Amino acid sequence: RIFLERERILIDQSSSQEKRGKRLEERENRLDERVKQFDKQKGEQEKQLKQDKQKLDKHKNEQDERDKRQEDRDRRLASQLKEKQLEGKTYIYSWLIQFSSLIVILVL
């Protein structure tokens, strides 16, 4: 009878150890699954961050290009305006010279 009781206790202990082992294994599996999910999310976030950075760089480069073209256009317009102003002054000076020549001729 004592022998049977000891056998039952040993069986109970071994089954409880098996249950603990299974619970530990299940817990490890859940942790492994969480780690995999975390790594997957981290990879997706890094991928999204990289794409966002590329878009930002592309937008910045496009904006820089537009700014450069605008500066070139502004320089050309300023140059053309100076040329027109010089042409206007030249026209006025030539008209004044001709007018003063006419007056000199009339006075003589």
Side-chain angles (χ1 to χ4, degrees):
R1 181 175 176 127
I2 294 176
F3 180 73
L4 290 174
E5 191 67 30
R6 283 186 183 166
E7 278 293 315
R8 191 175 54 81
I9 291 173
L10 287 175
I11 291 172
D12 287 346
Q13 286 177 348
S14 66
S15 67
S16 67
Q17 286 177 351
E18 287 176 15
K19 288 179 185 177
R20 279 190 210 136
K22 286 181 183 179
R23 284 190 301 230
L24 284 174
E25 189 177 325
E26 289 172 359
R27 193 176 293 162
E28 286 176 358
N29 289 341
R30 285 194 303 264
L31 285 174
D32 288 344
E33 190 61 35
R34 283 184 183 171
V35 168
K36 287 177 187 176
Q37 285 289 352
F38 178 79
D39 289 343
K40 182 179 176 184
Q41 288 176 349
K42 183 180 175 186
E44 290 172 358
Q45 288 175 345
E46 287 174 350
K47 182 179 176 183
Q48 184 65 38
L49 183 63
K50 186 177 180 181
Q51 288 175 348
D52 290 346
K53 186 180 182 307
Q54 288 174 344
K55 286 180 184 177
L56 184 63
D57 289 344
K58 180 181 176 186
H59 178 71
K60 183 182 178 294
N61 290 339
E62 289 172 353
Q63 186 64 42
D64 289 346
E65 188 64 32
R66 282 193 295 269
D67 291 346
K68 184 179 177 184
R69 284 195 306 265
Q70 184 64 40
E71 288 174 7
D72 290 345
R73 193 175 306 124
D74 291 346
R75 270 193 236 107
R76 276 196 314 275
L77 289 174
S79 175
Q80 289 173 356
L81 180 61
K82 284 182 181 178
E83 287 177 17
K84 294 221 183 256
Q85 287 174 341
L86 286 175
E87 288 175 10
K89 287 179 183 177
T90 304
Y91 176 75
I92 290 172
Y93 289 141
S94 67
W95 184 81
L96 283 173
I97 291 170
Q98 289 175 358
F99 183 70
S100 59
S101 298
L102 181 64
I103 290 178
V104 168
I105 291 173
L106 288 177
V107 169
L108 294 175

